[in-house]
Amino acid sequence: MSWLSILALALQTAIGFQGASYALAAAGLNLHFGYTGLSNFGHVGFLLVGAYGMAISADQGWSIWVGFGVGIAASVVLGLLLGIPTLRLRGDYLAIVTIASAEILRLVANARPSEPLTGGSRGIGSLTSRLGFFDPSFIPEGTYGVGKSFVFTDRQLWAMLVCWGLVLVVTLLLRGLVRSPWGRVLRAIREDEDAARALGKNVVVFKLQSFVLGGAIGALAGALIVLNAGSVSPTRWIAPFTFALYTVVILGGAGTVWGPIVGAVVYWFVLDLADGVLNNLWFDVSDTSAGAIRLAIMGVGLMALMVFRPQGILGSKKEMLASGR
Amino acid sequence: MAAELRTDAMAALDLVEATVGVAKPDSILVADDVTRRYGGLTAVEVDHLEVPRGVITALIGPNGAGKTTFFNLLCGFDRADTGSWSFDGQRADGAKAHVLAQRGMVRTFQLTKTLGRMTVLDNMLLAGRPQGGEHLLRALWRGSWRQQEADHVTKAYDLLARFKLDKLTDEYAAGLSGGQRKLLEMARALMTDPSLVMLDEPMAGVNPALTQSLLGHVTALRDEGMSILFVEHDMDVIMTISDWVVCMAGGRIIAEGRPADIAGNAAVIEAYLGIDHGASTTGTIS
Amino acid sequence: MDLARSLRNPRVLLLLLALGVLWPGTAAGAQTPTTKPAADGVTAADEAKCKFTKQEAIEANGGPLGPSIWGRLCQVIDGKATFAKGATITVSQGGKEIADDTTGADGVFVVTIPGNGTYQVALDPKTLPKGFSLTDEDRAVLSNVQVNLGDQQSTFRLGEDDRGQRDLSDYATTVAKGVRLGLILAVAAVGLSLVYGVTGLTNFAHAELVTWGAIATYLANSAGVPFWLAVPIGMVAGAVAGLANDRAIWAPLRKRRMALLSMMVVSIGLSTAVRNLFQVAYGPAGKRYTAASGQLERSYGPFRLTPNDVIIMVICVAVLIGMTVLLRSTRLGTAIRAVADNADLAASSGIAVDRIITTVWVICGALAALGGTLYGLTINVKFDMGFVLLLSMFAAIVLGGLGNAYGAVLGALVIGVVQETSGLFIDTAYKFVVALLVLILVLLVRPQGILGQRERFG
C-alpha cells in the first residue's frame, strides 16, 4: 500500500463518521471538563445509555424518534442520579463514581440475565432495516471520492452528513450557552467554586445543569453510533473510550467552542495514520499488538499534551498560563 | 483618609457599654449560642454577639482563636453544630452560602479567590445582579439579557475606575499582582450591592502602601452606608479604622468595645501576649 | 463455566474421571502435567482418594500408552473410593465413532485415538454399576475434549446432584474468599490511598504499578527463581517503579503546580500507555506462577481453602499490621501523617515534604507490587489485571474515606466480601455491579466515607 493511500485512508476516517461521532461525544465532555471543570471519567456511560436506548427501541419496533427520546431521557435520569449525590462533594468523588457507574452499566448490559433486553454479551444486531436510518438518504447509490483510497459509499456519506450536521447544531447551541452569563458562571465554577458561591451562585444547580446537558449530548452521540452501525454490543463502551474522548477534548483545546471538532479530526487522522504505518512496516505486527500500540500512542499523546500543550490546538497560551493561578 | 466624617451609626455606638454580648441600638447580624466542634476540639463557642449596622466591626484574636471558623459559620461556608443567627432580621443559620450572598451578605477570602482564567471584566460581570442570562433557557435568547448586561458593564467600569483597575479590564485575573487581585476581589464584592461586607484578613500579605489604599476603600464603604465585618489580627490596622472591636480567644468572645476600650483591656492583652507574638505570620489555615 | 460450577459441590459422593491424553512423540519431560482445575468444593480428602495419575494409567494398561484418552471412573461412596466396573466410554470425532472401551475392575479405560484434535467423549450412564450415578445427565457427553500434545483432564461428574443446595461451609468459604480478595485489595490500595493523602492525586496509573509487580514476579519466577523468593524481587521492582514514577513524572509536575484534575488526566494517559505496552511486551495471555499449581482445597473448620489462600491472608494481615505500626509509631509515619494533614504546615515545621512524598511513592510501589503478585497467585498474571482491580481499589478507598489509610483497608474488606458473597444470592455476572452500587449508596448516606471526617471549608 502506498503512503499516499495510507494518508487518504486516515483522512477518510478523520472527516468521516468516526470523526463526527467523536466530535459530538467530545462536545458534551468539553462542557463538563473544559467549561465546568467536572471530572467526568465515565462519559462513555452516557453514550451507552443513548446507544442502548436507540437499539432497544428499534428492537421493540419503535421509530428512531422514540429511540432518541428513550436514550436521551435515560441519560438525563442517569445524570441526575449521579449528579445529585456527588456534585456536592469534591471532584475526586465524581471522577470515581462516574467511572464506576459507566462500568456498572456496561456489565449489566453484558450480563446473561439482561439478555432479553440488551442481548447480553452478543448485543443487539441487524437493526439497520428496522431503524431505517438510511431510507431518507437522497444520495444516489454509488461511490464518491478521489482515486482508489479516498472513497465514500453513499451510505457513508449520508451518515457523515447527518452526524456532522448534528455536530454543527450542537456546537452552535453550546457556543450560545457558554458565551452567555450562564456559561460565565460555569467558567467561574471551574476556576473556583467557593468564589462563585460567595457571589451568590447556586453552584450545585449550575453543575447539575452542565452535567445533565453534556450527558445528553453524549447520549445523542451513542444513539447515532447505533444508527450508523445498525447494531450494539457491550464491548465497545469501556473506560478507554472515555479516555480517548479526553484526548480529543484536550487535543482540540478544552474550554473552546470548536475544540472538540478539531480534536476529533486530528485524533482520528493521527491514529489511523499510525495504524497504516504499523500495517506496512518491513516486519509483521499482529493485529492485537497494532491495536495496543495505537492505544499506547494515545496514552503517551494525552500525557504529552497535558504537560507540554495543555491549551491544545485552539486554546490560548495566555489563558493556560493563567491557570497556574 | 476620609474618616473625619461621623455617621449617626457611629455616634450611636458611643452610648453602648463595652461588655461581651452587649446589645446594640441597630444590629445587622445577631448570633446566639453558636458552637463548632472538630472531633473533640471546640473551635467556636459564642454565646451572644450583635454586629452593628453601618459601621466597621473588627473581629480580632490571636492565631487559633476561632475567628475565621466563626466567620465561615456566619456566612454559610461551614456548618455549625449548634446555634442560631439572623441577618437583617431574617433567620440565617442553616442557610446556604449562596443564599446569604443573594440576601446581601458578601464575603472575600484570606487567600484571594479571583478567577484566574477569566478577564477582570468577566470577574466583575459575574457578580452583577440580577442576571436573567444565568437561567439556562433564557441564556440562549440574548435579547432577554442584553440590556441587563450592558448595565452591569457600566457599573463594572465605574467600580474598576474607583479601584484603579480600569486599564486592566481585558487582562486575565491571574496576570494581576497580588495587590491588584485583593482590589479586584473587593470591587467584585461591591458589584453585588451588599448590605454587609465580610472581609477575611484583607490586609494579610499586603505591602504598607496598599494597606493604606485598602483601608481607604473600606472606610469609604462604611461612609456609603454599608456594614463591614472583618477578621484581622494586625492591631495597628484595627485601631485605625474600626468603630467596634470584637476579640476572640479559644473560641470564645473575651471582649467587645470601641478601639480605645479594647486597647486597655487586660483580657485582650493577655490573650495576645500570652499566646502569640507572631501577628505578622501567615495565620492559621483552618 | 459449567465445569467450574459443576465442581463446586463438596459433600458429593464424587466422581472422578481423569481423562488424560498421551502423545508418544513428545518426551515425558515436555508434557505439562495439568492438575484438575482448582476444584472448588471437592474436599481434598475425597480428591486424594480418587486421584489417578498417568503412572497408574500406564500400570493399569500394562504397557506404555499410545495416543489415547484414558481415565478411571471413581466415586467416593461411604468415604471409600469405589471404582465403576463395566461402564462404556465411547470416543467420537465430528459425529463419527472412533473407538470405545469398557472399564475394568479398577475402573480404568483406555481409548486409542488417531492424534490431536477435538473429540467427544461419552459415558453411557446405563452401563454404570449400581450405586453410581452421573451428577448431571446432560454431562454424560463431554463434547469438546481438545487433544493437543501433553496431558489434559476433563471430568464426568458422578454422584447425587445437590448443586442447588448450600450448606454453612459454602457460605463460610465464600466469605473467606471475600476476605482474601479484600485483604489483597487492601494491600494493593493502601499505597493509592497514601499517595492521595500526601499529594491529592487520584492516580489511575496505580493499576499499572499493581500489574508491573505481578509481571516482575512472574519474570523472576519463570527464570527459575522459586515463587516465594520471587515475591520480594517483585516488590523491589515495584518500589523502583514507584520511585521512578515520582521522580520522572509527578515531582516535576508538582513543581509546576499543575492542577490536580490535570494530573489525574496525565495519570490516565500514563495508565493507558503502560498497560498497552505491557500487552505488547508481555503478551495478551494470562500466565500462572509455579506456586499456583497443585493447589487443593482443605478444610479449616467450616472454611475450605487452598494452602495458598491461607498464606496470602497471613501475608496480607502481617503487611497491614506492619503499615499500621509504621504510620502510628515511627517518625516516618508521623511525618507522612503530618504531610497528609497539611503540607504547608508540615513544611514550616521542618519536615522535608518532597522527601516524604518520594518515600510514600516507594512504599506505594512495593505494596502495589505485592498486592498484584498475590492477586496473580489467585487467578493468573495478565497485562490488564491491575486495571481490572482499579475500580475495586478506588471503591475501597472512597468507601473508607479518601486519603484515610485505615479507611482504605476497611473499605477494601467490605468491597471484597460484598463482591464475593453477592454471588450467593444473585447471578455472579452482577457481583462487581453490587460492589459498586454499595459504594454509591454509602456515598449517598455518608459522603465522607466510613472513616472519613466531615469536610471542612475555608
Side-chain angles (χ1 to χ4, degrees), chain A residues 53 129 133 136 191 282:
Chain A
S129 62
F133 171 59
E191 295 303 303
W282 61 95

Side-chain angles (χ1 to χ4, degrees), chain B residues 238-252:
Chain B
I238 294 154
M239 293 305 155
T240 329
I241 64 163
S242 44
D243 304 302
W244 192 257
V245 180
V246 177
C247 182
M248 287 181 75
R252 297 173 162 277

